[in-house]
Amino acid sequence: MIRPVLVRRDRVLPATQSFGFVVGILVALVLGAILLWVSGNSPAEVYERMFDSAFVGTDSLSRTLERTTPLALTGLSVAVAGSMGLWNIGAEGQMMAGATVATGVAMMADGLSGPALIAVMLASGVAGGMLLMLGPALARSHLGVSEIITTLMLVYVAIRVVEWLQVGPWKDPGSLGFPRIEEVPGQASLPGLFGRVNIGALIALGLLIVFSLAVSRTAWGYELRLAGSSPDTARYAGVSLRRKVLTALLLSGGIAGLAGTIQLTGAEVRLTPGLSNGFGFSGIIVAALALMRPSGVAVVAFVFGAVQVGGQSIQTLGVSSAISDILQAMILFGALVAAVFFNYRIRWTGPLGESSGEEIEQLEPAVEEPDV
Amino acid sequence: MASENADHAVWLRGIEKQFPGVIACAGADLRVRPGTIHALLGENGAGKTTMVNVLAGIYRPDAGEVWVNGQRRSFHSPADAIAAGVGMVYQEFRLVPTLTVAENIVLGSAPRLLRSTEIEERVAELSAAYGMAADPTRPVWQLSMGERQRVEILKSLWRNASVLVMDEPTAVLTPGEAAELGAALRAMAEGGRSVIYISHKLDQVVAFCDEATVLRQGKTVATVKDLQDVDLTSLAEMMVGSSEGGYVDRPPAVEAGPEVLSLQGVCALNDRGLPALTDINMTVHAGEIVGIVGVSGNGQKELAEVINGLRRPTEGRVTVKGRDVTGASPGDLYRMGVAYVPEDRLGVGLAPKMSVVDNAVVRSYRSQRQGMFLSISKCVKFCQSLVERFSVRVGRLNDPIAGLSGGNLQRLLLGRELAEQPSVLVAAQPSRGLDVQGVAAIQGHLVDQRAAGVGVLLISEDLDELLALSDRLIVMFEGRIMGEYGPDVTPRTILGSAMAGKAPK
């Protein structure tokens, strides 16, 4: 009996991945067209509106870039940890922690001038994100506790802390009883570039370039990749795994904290429990689609942002918000599925004894390395 | 055909299996009669684990037939093998620590709609029937290693396994528990089941097993119909065997140079925290090859790791060229001139998913910098120089290194270690699994290094290789040095006895 078997590719080339990404989105758009047609909308009209509102004109582009900025930063945060094989699932929480510390610092340092205050807030935002990551990072590097669980759990801690602050110690006395925190001082707003885009976008772009070079072109990045790809080889080469795990996770937390602070000082006016707005979780998808490469994160975050902006805009055409959400989810899902699918290829195998020397991907983790 | 095989519980026939870079099995056979305990013997890498993984449905052989209980089988998954009556007990147990003994045993094959007390009763009956005491209500995390192993065996019996495969079962057991295991296996064999028993502990093999199959370099080299007829020494000799030759001969001894490596009273623990090295004293001089003889698992791996800084000794001193380097990091030791070709080439020595270039600079990436960046052109140039000097056959330098053949992997690895002219080279199983050409190339390099004044510590399970290359032989058994021998004046039988733990006369 000849049957198909999925075989994992030895190596996923960025070109293959990009192709898969595009194919996935196209397939999803076709399926989405059916969905729109069935739900009584005109697919052509809806898609045209989506495209226009995401890409055409300064205002549209600025909306897309406004979304792209936090997605790129959280995507980078996840990718920095991911390039060492670590999963920071809690960028959402580190965003909140960064914004919280930055708000606290702004409250204490109200005498500072604009640029100085912004710089101090951004730096303290990085520190806040690192602070929330400190526990998971130490637990992972010294005790081997899974960072996936600890970083995720701290998301809810960070959000609850903000909820407590807004009804408790940081409650705005001038809020007429509303539970909310005072606005950050006006001079702390990030300078705008055009439309809704502020210099946060440039900071994100700069960081992407810096990390892209650091990971691929420096000795530090080489050690990081070696440790992520083959920990025993890294140890053999004299790399301290503990220190590498610690730095990768702390940097990841710091970048997410910066993302939160840029949201606080750019897009928002005050710290709220909803500030992180799912950007931290979306960052996981962004990084995964970008194969944990900082260079890929920029592109994926841009597409992701465009889908969100376009998806929301079609509600003005009378497309219900539920259909719009489904459509957005389908596009991202299509890209994800295609990306995974392009990691594999189909091989037709005959009965036992006729297969080639390649190993079949086992679904069970019971596969042992050969003792050869 | 079926009638011919009816008297075999298991017949693995002409099994061939290749992994990227290594030939694991090259037409190996294994026949196990019902109601017997059958030992599967061989050095590490002889193909034992591959053979049983084929039987367990984890690997599909490239060629060969699998017969179980007189029927030809083609397993597509471990579930197929379990359904055919093959039970595996791995060295690392696959139990859920938080579940109870009974829950672990029935996991995945529990009868539906049965109360847990009833399941516990049935499990208790089963364990009583085979004399394997195990309280079904206790959670597994509370159990000792011996008890956990019993749970694994009971799990296979619950699934009605007619063939039980035990991979190195006594490694985690106390001597008392090992004796109990022997009795339990005997009870199973008397009940008509068969056991395939993989172990390096030859005394236990002789005590527990009826028959034996010896594998060497992926082939069956001997079958023993009655283990009572053979002694430990000849079993040890069968495992290390005498090959068809083709070994590079070392040129006559030059005068020994100064001491480059010495170990004084070194003790170390293994990964399980048990003593692996006890009071090791040895020296290696410039320009000599010192061979470490021994059946694998007798401390060779830990010895290599201690010397290379990957494992901290609990006692004793390591010196390199007279400097105390005890507890130095692997990177520091390399810079002091200690090079290491680890036993696990792909996984320790090389990072399989990274490119050929990335792997070539594992030792030297710090010196391939230009300003703050790694210079890609410098890295590539360095890699190309290794490829040329050590005649490595490679495709594209940016492809993952896992695509190279075993011989080429080893050439690149050895070349990288030799690039900065070390004074000590520790080579663990450097020629294992390679084809004739590869073996000759690697051994040639070792002899060249000796001539260049490097002190070489050669750890191998291939006695012929050790006899051909070494100036001195040191035999290790259970983490101790049994003695030192001259390769040209020592009969194999003496070495065989020492390897089996018998003190030399």
Side-chain angles (χ1 to χ4, degrees):
Chain A
M1 182 188 72
I2 293 183
R3 54 177 204 163
V5 181
L6 279 184
V7 183
R8 189 178 255 282
R9 288 177 193 272
D10 293 337
R11 185 157 101 130
V12 188
L13 298 169
T16 316
Q17 179 80 359
S18 312
F19 182 63
F21 193 54
V22 172
V23 169
I25 289 176
L26 289 178
V27 169
L29 287 177
V30 171
L31 293 177
I34 297 170
L35 171 82
L36 290 169
W37 181 68
V38 167
S39 62
N41 299 290
S42 153
E45 197 187 340
V46 169
Y47 284 156
E48 194 189 342
R49 172 64 63 89
M50 275 182 90
F51 188 84
D52 286 350
S53 58
F55 300 119
V56 178
T58 319
D59 186 52
S60 302
L61 261 180
S62 86
R63 278 173 197 276
T64 297
L65 286 173
E66 184 195 19
R67 291 252 161 192
T68 304
T69 303
L71 287 170
L73 283 170
T74 54
L76 176 64
S77 160
V78 177
V80 166
S83 58
M84 228 200 106
L86 299 165
W87 284 98
N88 175 14
I89 304 294
E92 190 85 12
Q94 293 134 24
M95 282 180 76
M96 295 303 284
T100 305
V101 173
T103 301
V105 167
M107 286 176 173
M108 286 185 292
D110 52 3
L112 284 180
S113 67
L117 182 58
I118 289 171
V120 168
M121 283 179 75
L122 291 180
S124 51
V126 172
M130 286 185 169
L131 194 68
L132 193 68
M133 184 55 108
L134 191 62
L138 284 170
R140 169 66 205 226
S141 66
H142 285 69
L143 301 172
V145 177
S146 167
E147 77 288 355
I148 301 177
I149 295 164
T150 49
T151 52
L152 177 62
M153 289 193 303
L154 285 177
V155 170
Y156 303 101
V157 174
I159 293 175
R160 296 292 178 270
V161 166
V162 175
E163 284 175 356
W164 169 69
L165 286 172
Q166 73 173 358
V167 296
W170 285 4
K171 186 171 170 183
D172 181 0
S175 70
L176 306 169
F178 279 112
R180 68 178 192 207
I181 296 167
E182 222 176 314
E183 287 185 14
V184 292
Q187 75 266 28
S189 295
L190 289 179
L193 291 178
F194 71 97
R196 296 160 161 268
V197 184
N198 56 50
I199 61 162
L202 286 184
I203 296 175
L205 185 65
L207 276 180
L208 281 168
I209 293 170
V210 166
F211 273 95
S212 186
L213 283 174
V215 170
S216 63
R217 295 290 305 278
T218 66
W220 177 83
Y222 174 81
E223 288 175 356
L224 198 70
R225 285 183 290 126
L226 189 64
S229 162
S230 181
D232 284 335
T233 312
R235 229 163 71 77
Y236 164 96
V239 176
S240 160
L241 287 182
R242 275 188 179 177
R243 211 181 321 165
K244 275 278 161 312
V245 168
L246 217 53
T247 44
L249 284 178
L250 287 179
L251 278 173
S252 175
I255 296 167
L258 181 68
T261 314
I262 287 179
Q263 281 305 96
L264 176 72
T265 52
E268 309 274 335
V269 289
R270 63 160 61 85
L271 177 66
T272 67
L275 178 106
S276 53
N277 195 21
F279 286 121
F281 292 129
S282 303
I284 302 166
I285 305 175
V286 171
L289 280 173
L291 294 177
M292 300 296 168
R293 277 169 229 261
S295 49
V297 164
V299 179
V300 176
F302 184 70
V303 173
F304 209 122
V307 169
Q308 285 188 345
V309 170
Q312 280 172 3
S313 72
I314 58 174
Q315 291 174 28
T316 59
L317 285 176
V319 178
S320 77
S321 69
I323 295 288
S324 151
D325 283 350
I326 295 175
L327 191 63
Q328 290 177 47
M330 277 174 74
I331 295 173
L332 295 173
F333 194 70
L336 256 178
V337 169
V340 171
F341 197 72
F342 274 78
N343 287 349
Y344 291 82
R345 59 204 166 80
I346 294 175
R347 186 164 55 84
W348 296 91
T349 63
L352 213 58
E354 290 173 26
S355 65
S356 66
E358 296 159 307
E359 241 348 86
I360 293 157
E361 184 73 4
Q362 293 283 336
L363 295 176
E364 288 191 48
V367 189
E368 288 214 317
E369 292 295 309
D371 74 346
V372 283
Chain B
M1 282 292 275
S3 61
E4 191 194 316
N5 302 304
D7 56 337
H8 292 117
V10 170
W11 188 16
L12 296 177
R13 191 178 171 202
I15 300 296
E16 290 176 22
K17 178 79 196 172
Q18 212 171 341
F19 293 101
V22 269
I23 299 163
C25 287
D29 296 296
L30 171 67
R31 293 187 192 213
V32 181
R33 288 190 298 124
T36 60
I37 305 178
H38 194 105
L40 187 55
L41 303 175
E43 315 154 346
N44 273 347
K48 304 176 305 261
T49 305
T50 308
M51 287 287 272
V52 296
N53 277 336
V54 164
L55 179 61
I58 290 170
Y59 297 149
R60 291 156 64 92
D62 301 336
E65 297 171 6
V66 178
W67 297 72
V68 178
N69 295 323
Q71 278 185 295
R72 173 136 188 223
R73 299 287 188 168
S74 159
F75 297 142
H76 290 292
S77 73
D80 291 351
I82 290 168
V86 177
M88 283 288 282
V89 177
Y90 289 97
Q91 229 171 317
E92 281 90 33
F93 302 140
R94 279 125 201 237
L95 299 171
V96 185
T98 49
L99 296 184
T100 66
V101 169
E103 284 165 341
N104 266 288
I105 288 174
V106 303
L107 192 67
S109 62
R112 275 156 214 271
L113 303 173
L114 204 59
R115 278 180 300 129
S116 59
T117 48
E118 261 177 77
I119 292 179
E120 279 162 13
E121 269 170 43
R122 286 212 215 164
V123 166
E125 280 168 30
L126 186 72
S127 64
Y130 288 93
M132 284 186 280
D135 178 353
T137 60
R138 277 179 73 189
V140 159
W141 62 266
Q142 294 180 349
L143 305 183
S144 73
M145 283 302 172
E147 289 170 308
R148 286 182 204 203
Q149 188 176 59
R150 260 176 256 157
V151 176
E152 283 277 14
I153 297 172
L154 287 170
K155 203 165 133 185
S156 288
L157 293 175
W158 177 268
R159 286 163 177 72
N160 211 13
S162 60
V163 179
L164 188 70
V165 182
M166 310 270 318
D167 190 358
E168 202 67 64
T170 56
V172 292
L173 303 186
T174 63
E177 285 176 326
E180 277 176 41
L181 173 69
L185 294 181
R186 180 54 60 198
M188 288 168 54
E190 274 161 12
R193 299 174 202 269
S194 324
V195 178
I196 297 176
Y197 188 96
I198 302 179
S199 180
H200 285 120
K201 297 191 176 167
L202 297 179
D203 48 343
Q204 283 171 355
V205 164
V206 170
F208 296 166
C209 303
D210 305 306
E211 304 183 345
T213 295
V214 184
L215 296 183
R216 219 177 149 238
Q217 292 174 354
K219 290 187 187 132
T220 303
V221 292
T223 50
V224 181
K225 284 282 165 236
D226 190 350
L227 274 170
Q228 306 313 315
D229 291 348
V230 294
D231 59 11
L232 291 181
T233 309
S234 51
L235 267 186
E237 273 183 69
M238 269 182 224
M239 281 170 67
V240 293
S242 72
S243 85
E244 301 90 46
Y247 292 94
V248 172
D249 272 327
R250 65 185 191 284
V254 273
E255 65 212 83
E259 178 186 296
V260 286
L261 171 72
S262 94
L263 280 75
Q264 292 141 34
V266 167
C267 300
L269 303 178
N270 65 14
D271 292 337
R272 294 197 192 90
L274 303 172
L277 296 177
T278 313
D279 193 26
I280 299 290
N281 294 290
M282 65 168 70
T283 56
V284 178
H285 295 265
E288 69 168 351
I289 297 181
V290 176
I292 300 288
V293 188
V295 177
S296 81
N298 278 296
Q300 295 97 321
K301 176 169 165 265
E302 288 81 4
L303 176 68
E305 289 178 349
V306 162
I307 296 171
N308 291 284
L310 289 161
R311 186 177 295 274
R312 227 165 233 282
T314 51
E315 268 177 61
R317 250 158 51 95
V318 183
T319 61
V320 170
K321 290 184 281 186
R323 272 176 72 186
D324 190 337
V325 296
T326 318
S329 79
D332 290 340
L333 280 161
Y334 179 78
R335 284 185 281 280
M336 279 181 243
V338 183
Y340 180 29
V341 176
E343 181 176 342
D344 190 357
R345 283 161 219 162
L346 218 46
V348 177
L350 302 164
K353 287 182 201 151
M354 292 179 84
S355 71
V356 180
V357 175
D358 279 344
N359 272 290
V361 298
V362 159
R363 289 295 198 183
S364 61
Y365 61 92
R366 284 194 189 84
S367 45
Q368 316 291 351
R369 276 183 292 199
Q370 186 127 55
M372 60 187 293
F373 291 111
L374 281 180
S375 157
I376 290 177
S377 62
K378 268 194 191 178
C379 290
V380 169
K381 208 179 279 174
F382 178 76
C383 180
Q384 268 164 347
S385 75
L386 288 186
V387 164
E388 276 160 34
R389 217 177 116 197
F390 292 89
S391 22
V392 188
R393 290 225 313 272
V394 287
R396 276 174 301 178
L397 296 183
N398 282 323
D399 280 353
I401 197 153
L404 267 58
S405 77
N408 287 311
L409 286 176
Q410 192 69 321
R411 284 191 184 97
L412 187 84
L413 173 52
L414 185 65
R416 183 188 77 201
E417 293 303 299
L418 297 176
E420 284 166 65
Q421 197 48 58
S423 35
V424 177
L425 171 66
V426 179
Q429 320 292 356
S431 63
R432 186 166 74 195
L434 306 187
D435 57 16
V436 178
Q437 254 188 324
V439 171
I442 297 301
Q443 293 180 341
H445 284 303
L446 295 182
V447 171
D448 289 348
Q449 291 304 308
R450 170 178 175 268
V454 177
V456 180
L457 188 71
L458 174 61
I459 298 173
S460 175
E461 282 156 5
D462 184 339
L463 196 50
D464 295 296
E465 175 176 79
L466 289 169
L467 286 168
L469 298 180
S470 309
D471 297 288
R472 289 187 288 139
L473 292 174
I474 291 173
V475 180
M476 281 186 73
F477 176 73
E478 292 192 340
R480 292 171 186 277
I481 291 179
M482 297 300 291
E484 193 180 310
Y485 305 87
D488 303 322
V489 296
T490 313
R492 282 162 176 273
T493 48
I494 303 251
L495 291 173
S497 301
M499 287 165 71
K502 290 183 192 150
K505 308 271 152 18

